[in-house]
Amino acid sequence: MECIDFTNLSKACPKDDYPLPHIDTLVDIAAGSEMLSMLDCFSCYHQIFMKKSNEEKTSFTTPFDTYCYVRMTEGLRSAGSTLNRTVKAVLRTQLDRNISAYIDDVVMRSKKRKDHIQELRETFANLRQHGLKLIPDKCGFGVRHGKLLGCMITERGIEANPKKIEAIRRMKPPTMKRGGSKS
């Protein structure tokens, strides 16, 4: 399989200054919630249609024919910003209330456990209305802790990820004392 290089296309495209959220802010907001659901959107880039006028700019050839993308693809200069803008538009009624999103990673948080199911229904309705799909295997629903952008989030706050520190726990103490000079 061959990779399509969009370097020249990206150079010709205007920079999209749509800001990505600060990861530390998203993690801090999620910490302290009684219930979380971690959502990962399925091939999110490919769920967004390209503007008709831009499709031919993504053309590529194969031994069989010339094709172009009708949906956004990774590797385009503004793909991350466009995806983040889309996810925020889809979930706009919940943002800053019970949703945090970073590109295609979404955490739905509930301050009270009893509200979580209703808030999940609202999230699913918003996703369904706009045709965004999730990867079930990468989602965690109704959990008290979970991983968000590499950080472990719990109702107590941010904690060390046990998988990341396991290698340190298993390390054996040094057995040789290293001196200042060799003889």
Side-chain angles (χ1 to χ4, degrees):
M1 182 165 188
E2 200 171 310
C3 181
I4 301 168
D5 183 4
F6 288 118
T7 304
N8 291 333
L9 176 59
S10 289
K11 285 179 185 175
C13 292
K15 188 170 190 243
D16 184 350
D17 289 327
Y18 189 82
L20 293 176
H22 292 277
I23 293 173
D24 55 337
T25 304
L26 296 180
V27 171
D28 288 344
I29 290 169
S33 299
E34 279 190 14
M35 193 68 58
L36 303 166
S37 284
M38 311 303 206
L39 313 176
D40 198 330
C41 296
F42 176 75
S43 298
C44 238
Y45 292 99
H46 304 296
Q47 295 187 51
I48 300 170
F49 284 95
M50 300 277 296
K51 285 183 181 176
K52 278 282 187 208
S53 61
N54 289 335
E55 288 178 4
E56 77 175 36
K57 295 172 186 166
T58 65
S59 66
F60 60 96
T61 57
T62 70
F64 311 105
D65 210 344
T66 299
Y67 300 93
C68 57
Y69 282 91
V70 295
R71 294 177 185 245
M72 191 170 63
T73 182
E74 291 181 65
L76 297 175
R77 183 177 195 166
S78 62
S81 296
T82 300
L83 179 53
N84 199 59
R85 184 183 289 113
T86 300
V87 169
K88 284 189 168 197
V90 167
L91 299 169
R92 73 182 173 282
T93 60
Q94 293 180 268
L95 279 175
D96 300 327
R97 177 170 47 93
N98 64 357
I99 289 279
S100 296
Y102 186 85
I103 305 181
D104 64 344
D105 289 314
V106 176
V107 62
M108 203 223 67
R109 60 193 187 278
S110 298
K111 292 293 179 196
K112 299 290 177 201
R113 184 179 180 161
K114 65 181 178 61
D115 300 328
H116 199 71
I117 295 295
Q118 187 56 40
E119 291 173 346
L120 262 178
R121 284 187 181 119
E122 179 184 6
T123 303
F124 290 153
N126 285 329
L127 293 170
R128 191 177 304 112
Q129 177 184 356
H130 296 278
L132 287 183
K133 295 168 178 46
L134 300 173
I135 306 170
D137 293 348
K138 286 189 162 185
C139 294
F141 300 102
V143 296
R144 290 188 173 271
H145 57 84
K147 192 167 66 171
L148 174 63
L149 304 169
C151 300
M152 286 300 294
I153 310 298
T154 71
E155 57 185 299
R156 290 185 304 272
I158 302 164
E159 297 183 3
N161 185 339
K163 288 183 180 179
K164 301 286 184 189
I165 61 172
E166 186 59 32
I168 295 170
R169 282 190 189 147
R170 287 194 220 177
M171 277 179 64
K172 297 199 185 306
T175 55
M176 291 179 43
K177 187 175 182 180
R178 187 169 196 176
S181 64
K182 292 185 181 180
S183 305

PDB file of all heavy atoms in Angstrom, residues 3 9 13 16 27 46 49 65 67 76 81 85 90 114 123 159 167 183:
ATOM      1  N   CYS A   3       1.597   5.374   0.378  1.00  0.00           N
ATOM      2  CA  CYS A   3       1.173   6.521   1.163  1.00  0.00           C
ATOM      3  C   CYS A   3       1.051   7.734   0.249  1.00  0.00           C
ATOM      4  O   CYS A   3       1.890   7.943  -0.622  1.00  0.00           O
ATOM      5  CB  CYS A   3       2.206   6.776   2.251  1.00  0.00           C
ATOM      6  SG  CYS A   3       1.790   8.160   3.316  1.00  0.00           S
ATOM      7  N   LEU A   9       0.346  20.114  -1.153  1.00  0.00           N
ATOM      8  CA  LEU A   9      -1.014  20.636  -0.979  1.00  0.00           C
ATOM      9  C   LEU A   9      -1.111  21.415   0.331  1.00  0.00           C
ATOM     10  O   LEU A   9      -1.676  22.505   0.375  1.00  0.00           O
ATOM     11  CB  LEU A   9      -2.038  19.496  -0.997  1.00  0.00           C
ATOM     12  CG  LEU A   9      -3.491  19.893  -0.738  1.00  0.00           C
ATOM     13  CD1 LEU A   9      -3.977  20.899  -1.779  1.00  0.00           C
ATOM     14  CD2 LEU A   9      -4.382  18.661  -0.717  1.00  0.00           C
ATOM     15  N   CYS A  13      -2.175  25.462   1.097  1.00  0.00           N
ATOM     16  CA  CYS A  13      -3.412  25.763   1.819  1.00  0.00           C
ATOM     17  C   CYS A  13      -3.168  26.825   2.883  1.00  0.00           C
ATOM     18  O   CYS A  13      -2.119  26.836   3.522  1.00  0.00           O
ATOM     19  CB  CYS A  13      -3.953  24.512   2.504  1.00  0.00           C
ATOM     20  SG  CYS A  13      -4.543  23.280   1.360  1.00  0.00           S
ATOM     21  N   ASP A  16      -5.056  27.130   9.175  1.00  0.00           N
ATOM     22  CA  ASP A  16      -6.294  27.241   9.937  1.00  0.00           C
ATOM     23  C   ASP A  16      -5.899  27.488  11.386  1.00  0.00           C
ATOM     24  O   ASP A  16      -5.346  26.615  12.041  1.00  0.00           O
ATOM     25  CB  ASP A  16      -7.100  25.952   9.809  1.00  0.00           C
ATOM     26  CG  ASP A  16      -8.447  26.011  10.490  1.00  0.00           C
ATOM     27  OD1 ASP A  16      -8.712  26.979  11.224  1.00  0.00           O
ATOM     28  OD2 ASP A  16      -9.243  25.083  10.291  1.00  0.00           O
ATOM     29  N   VAL A  27      -8.079  17.750  31.163  1.00  0.00           N
ATOM     30  CA  VAL A  27      -7.851  16.750  32.202  1.00  0.00           C
ATOM     31  C   VAL A  27      -8.309  17.288  33.556  1.00  0.00           C
ATOM     32  O   VAL A  27      -8.992  16.595  34.314  1.00  0.00           O
ATOM     33  CB  VAL A  27      -6.366  16.328  32.222  1.00  0.00           C
ATOM     34  CG1 VAL A  27      -6.055  15.464  33.429  1.00  0.00           C
ATOM     35  CG2 VAL A  27      -6.011  15.590  30.941  1.00  0.00           C
ATOM     36  N   HIS A  46     -12.669  10.634   8.307  1.00  0.00           N
ATOM     37  CA  HIS A  46     -13.411  10.107   7.162  1.00  0.00           C
ATOM     38  C   HIS A  46     -14.924  10.265   7.304  1.00  0.00           C
ATOM     39  O   HIS A  46     -15.673   9.864   6.431  1.00  0.00           O
ATOM     40  CB  HIS A  46     -13.043   8.646   6.929  1.00  0.00           C
ATOM     41  CG  HIS A  46     -11.573   8.451   6.740  1.00  0.00           C
ATOM     42  ND1 HIS A  46     -10.874   8.982   5.675  1.00  0.00           N
ATOM     43  CD2 HIS A  46     -10.653   7.824   7.507  1.00  0.00           C
ATOM     44  CE1 HIS A  46      -9.601   8.669   5.783  1.00  0.00           C
ATOM     45  NE2 HIS A  46      -9.440   7.977   6.890  1.00  0.00           N
ATOM     46  N   PHE A  49     -17.264  15.289   5.134  1.00  0.00           N
ATOM     47  CA  PHE A  49     -17.193  15.442   3.684  1.00  0.00           C
ATOM     48  C   PHE A  49     -16.332  16.639   3.305  1.00  0.00           C
ATOM     49  O   PHE A  49     -16.350  17.674   3.963  1.00  0.00           O
ATOM     50  CB  PHE A  49     -18.598  15.626   3.090  1.00  0.00           C
ATOM     51  CG  PHE A  49     -19.375  14.339   3.014  1.00  0.00           C
ATOM     52  CD1 PHE A  49     -20.246  13.984   4.025  1.00  0.00           C
ATOM     53  CD2 PHE A  49     -19.204  13.473   1.950  1.00  0.00           C
ATOM     54  CE1 PHE A  49     -20.948  12.802   3.973  1.00  0.00           C
ATOM     55  CE2 PHE A  49     -19.900  12.286   1.886  1.00  0.00           C
ATOM     56  CZ  PHE A  49     -20.779  11.946   2.895  1.00  0.00           C
ATOM     57  N   ASP A  65      -6.742   3.874 -12.169  1.00  0.00           N
ATOM     58  CA  ASP A  65      -7.478   5.110 -12.459  1.00  0.00           C
ATOM     59  C   ASP A  65      -6.971   6.239 -11.570  1.00  0.00           C
ATOM     60  O   ASP A  65      -6.109   6.034 -10.726  1.00  0.00           O
ATOM     61  CB  ASP A  65      -8.982   4.895 -12.211  1.00  0.00           C
ATOM     62  CG  ASP A  65      -9.857   5.762 -13.107  1.00  0.00           C
ATOM     63  OD1 ASP A  65      -9.335   6.730 -13.699  1.00  0.00           O
ATOM     64  OD2 ASP A  65     -11.062   5.462 -13.208  1.00  0.00           O
ATOM     65  N   TYR A  67      -8.208   8.968  -8.700  1.00  0.00           N
ATOM     66  CA  TYR A  67      -9.260   9.131  -7.712  1.00  0.00           C
ATOM     67  C   TYR A  67      -9.019  10.407  -6.914  1.00  0.00           C
ATOM     68  O   TYR A  67      -7.927  10.966  -6.920  1.00  0.00           O
ATOM     69  CB  TYR A  67      -9.284   7.947  -6.732  1.00  0.00           C
ATOM     70  CG  TYR A  67      -9.528   6.626  -7.391  1.00  0.00           C
ATOM     71  CD1 TYR A  67      -8.457   5.830  -7.802  1.00  0.00           C
ATOM     72  CD2 TYR A  67     -10.817   6.170  -7.611  1.00  0.00           C
ATOM     73  CE1 TYR A  67      -8.676   4.607  -8.411  1.00  0.00           C
ATOM     74  CE2 TYR A  67     -11.043   4.942  -8.221  1.00  0.00           C
ATOM     75  CZ  TYR A  67      -9.968   4.170  -8.616  1.00  0.00           C
ATOM     76  OH  TYR A  67     -10.193   2.972  -9.226  1.00  0.00           O
ATOM     77  N   LEU A  76      -3.828  16.251   5.800  1.00  0.00           N
ATOM     78  CA  LEU A  76      -4.111  17.580   5.261  1.00  0.00           C
ATOM     79  C   LEU A  76      -3.808  18.613   6.336  1.00  0.00           C
ATOM     80  O   LEU A  76      -4.033  18.377   7.527  1.00  0.00           O
ATOM     81  CB  LEU A  76      -5.567  17.684   4.814  1.00  0.00           C
ATOM     82  CG  LEU A  76      -5.981  16.752   3.673  1.00  0.00           C
ATOM     83  CD1 LEU A  76      -7.474  16.865   3.418  1.00  0.00           C
ATOM     84  CD2 LEU A  76      -5.199  17.076   2.410  1.00  0.00           C
ATOM     85  N   SER A  81      -7.706  20.686  12.917  1.00  0.00           N
ATOM     86  CA  SER A  81      -8.557  21.817  13.292  1.00  0.00           C
ATOM     87  C   SER A  81      -9.985  21.618  12.812  1.00  0.00           C
ATOM     88  O   SER A  81     -10.940  21.918  13.529  1.00  0.00           O
ATOM     89  CB  SER A  81      -7.991  23.113  12.703  1.00  0.00           C
ATOM     90  OG  SER A  81      -6.733  23.388  13.246  1.00  0.00           O
ATOM     91  N   ARG A  85     -13.169  21.320  15.247  1.00  0.00           N
ATOM     92  CA  ARG A  85     -14.288  22.248  15.050  1.00  0.00           C
ATOM     93  C   ARG A  85     -15.599  21.465  14.853  1.00  0.00           C
ATOM     94  O   ARG A  85     -16.632  21.825  15.404  1.00  0.00           O
ATOM     95  CB  ARG A  85     -14.013  23.132  13.830  1.00  0.00           C
ATOM     96  CG  ARG A  85     -15.073  24.184  13.596  1.00  0.00           C
ATOM     97  CD  ARG A  85     -14.801  24.998  12.328  1.00  0.00           C
ATOM     98  NE  ARG A  85     -13.664  25.881  12.485  1.00  0.00           N
ATOM     99  CZ  ARG A  85     -12.493  25.760  11.829  1.00  0.00           C
ATOM    100  NH1 ARG A  85     -12.311  24.796  10.964  1.00  0.00           N
ATOM    101  NH2 ARG A  85     -11.522  26.620  12.044  1.00  0.00           N
ATOM    102  N   VAL A  90     -20.868  19.532  16.903  1.00  0.00           N
ATOM    103  CA  VAL A  90     -21.809  18.443  17.169  1.00  0.00           C
ATOM    104  C   VAL A  90     -22.210  18.413  18.644  1.00  0.00           C
ATOM    105  O   VAL A  90     -23.369  18.195  18.979  1.00  0.00           O
ATOM    106  CB  VAL A  90     -21.196  17.089  16.736  1.00  0.00           C
ATOM    107  CG1 VAL A  90     -21.994  15.918  17.274  1.00  0.00           C
ATOM    108  CG2 VAL A  90     -21.076  17.023  15.218  1.00  0.00           C
ATOM    109  N   LYS A 114     -26.110   9.735  39.445  1.00  0.00           N
ATOM    110  CA  LYS A 114     -27.512   9.537  39.049  1.00  0.00           C
ATOM    111  C   LYS A 114     -27.856  10.226  37.733  1.00  0.00           C
ATOM    112  O   LYS A 114     -28.807   9.856  37.064  1.00  0.00           O
ATOM    113  CB  LYS A 114     -28.445  10.012  40.165  1.00  0.00           C
ATOM    114  CG  LYS A 114     -28.375  11.511  40.436  1.00  0.00           C
ATOM    115  CD  LYS A 114     -29.312  11.921  41.570  1.00  0.00           C
ATOM    116  CE  LYS A 114     -29.248  13.376  41.903  1.00  0.00           C
ATOM    117  NZ  LYS A 114     -29.603  14.288  40.876  1.00  0.00           N
ATOM    118  N   THR A 123     -25.761  12.867  24.755  1.00  0.00           N
ATOM    119  CA  THR A 123     -24.554  12.773  23.943  1.00  0.00           C
ATOM    120  C   THR A 123     -24.798  11.890  22.723  1.00  0.00           C
ATOM    121  O   THR A 123     -24.462  12.269  21.596  1.00  0.00           O
ATOM    122  CB  THR A 123     -23.381  12.203  24.775  1.00  0.00           C
ATOM    123  OG1 THR A 123     -23.183  13.043  25.915  1.00  0.00           O
ATOM    124  CG2 THR A 123     -22.112  12.121  23.957  1.00  0.00           C
ATOM    125  N   GLU A 159      -4.175  10.939  38.499  1.00  0.00           N
ATOM    126  CA  GLU A 159      -3.295   9.973  39.147  1.00  0.00           C
ATOM    127  C   GLU A 159      -2.343   9.378  38.130  1.00  0.00           C
ATOM    128  O   GLU A 159      -2.579   9.451  36.924  1.00  0.00           O
ATOM    129  CB  GLU A 159      -4.128   8.855  39.794  1.00  0.00           C
ATOM    130  CG  GLU A 159      -5.028   9.372  40.897  1.00  0.00           C
ATOM    131  CD  GLU A 159      -5.809   8.268  41.586  1.00  0.00           C
ATOM    132  OE1 GLU A 159      -5.629   7.084  41.250  1.00  0.00           O
ATOM    133  OE2 GLU A 159      -6.611   8.609  42.466  1.00  0.00           O
ATOM    134  N   ALA A 167       6.909  -0.706  34.796  1.00  0.00           N
ATOM    135  CA  ALA A 167       8.318  -1.010  34.518  1.00  0.00           C
ATOM    136  C   ALA A 167       9.209  -0.506  35.649  1.00  0.00           C
ATOM    137  O   ALA A 167      10.175  -1.179  36.032  1.00  0.00           O
ATOM    138  CB  ALA A 167       8.737  -0.381  33.194  1.00  0.00           C
ATOM    139  N   SER A 183      40.404   1.120  37.050  1.00  0.00           N
ATOM    140  CA  SER A 183      41.833   0.806  37.177  1.00  0.00           C
ATOM    141  C   SER A 183      42.279  -0.083  36.069  1.00  0.00           C
ATOM    142  O   SER A 183      41.646  -0.879  35.565  1.00  0.00           O
ATOM    143  CB  SER A 183      42.114   0.097  38.494  1.00  0.00           C
ATOM    144  OG  SER A 183      41.635   0.857  39.565  1.00  0.00           O
TER     145      SER A 183
END
